[in-house]
Amino acid sequence: MNAHATKLTYDAGDAAADTKLTLEFTTESGYNASFTTLSIETAPITLLAEDALTGATPIAFQTTAADYTIYNETGENVTELYLYPTGSSDKGDNLISGTDGAAVNGGSQEVTFDSVPDGLIGEDGKVGSFTLEFTTESGYNASFTTLSYEVAPIMLIAEDDMTGATPIQFGAPTAD
């Protein structure tokens, strides 16, 4: 999956309230689709792959801009968890609060953004990436710097469980 985001704006000017826009896109493989009844509004939209269509509409409207369910599968407690725009010097607040949720090995917590955070939209209008950073009790510190603005389950994994350079896995843990 090649998930990226961009912010599009349209200056409605003197357009009538019932004006409809056409959103058209073409993929690298040549798939071309359009949605011809888009209202002038603020709305997060997902472009759908041809094989993901459940009807005639090639887009889906999202109600939540970004929602991550973070699962702690590190084998130990997590003491720090940050989610911030990649490249930012401000990590924001430690998302681990108390002794429950993703702080506890095997626990989980939800992190939701209802709108795109400041600093995530570049001058070109494209939405950038997040960095997900965590630290465990033993001092293991890891980060993933190319997290898209999306809805995704994410497992924090132990350094010994990594099969590559990535300290996370997308998905929810499975019951043994």
Side-chain angles (χ1 to χ4, degrees), residues 70-81 94 96-109 133-142 156-158:
I70 312 292
Y71 297 92
N72 179 357
E73 296 294 307
T74 63
E76 59 182 312
N77 293 339
V78 169
T79 58
E80 296 179 32
L81 176 68
N94 182 355
I96 294 295
S97 60
T99 57
D100 58 353
V104 178
N105 181 47
S108 68
Q109 76 183 61
E133 181 179 338
F134 65 94
T135 304
T136 65
E137 290 180 307
S138 68
Y140 167 52
N141 179 265
L156 309 179
I157 58 174

Side-chain angles (χ1 to χ4, degrees), residues 124-145:
D124 59 359
K126 292 184 178 179
V127 177
S129 298
F130 277 115
T131 291
L132 174 65
E133 181 179 338
F134 65 94
T135 304
T136 65
E137 290 180 307
S138 68
Y140 167 52
N141 179 265
S143 61
F144 182 78
T145 62

Side-chain angles (χ1 to χ4, degrees), residues 35-61:
F35 184 80
T36 59
T37 57
L38 186 64
S39 296
I40 299 173
E41 61 187 318
T42 300
I45 297 171
T46 298
L47 307 179
L48 300 176
E50 190 170 19
D51 60 357
L53 298 178
T54 57
T57 306
I59 65 172
F61 292 93

Side-chain angles (χ1 to χ4, degrees), residues 3-18:
H4 295 285
T6 190
K7 180 179 181 180
L8 303 174
T9 57
Y10 177 80
D11 182 0
D14 295 328
D18 62 348

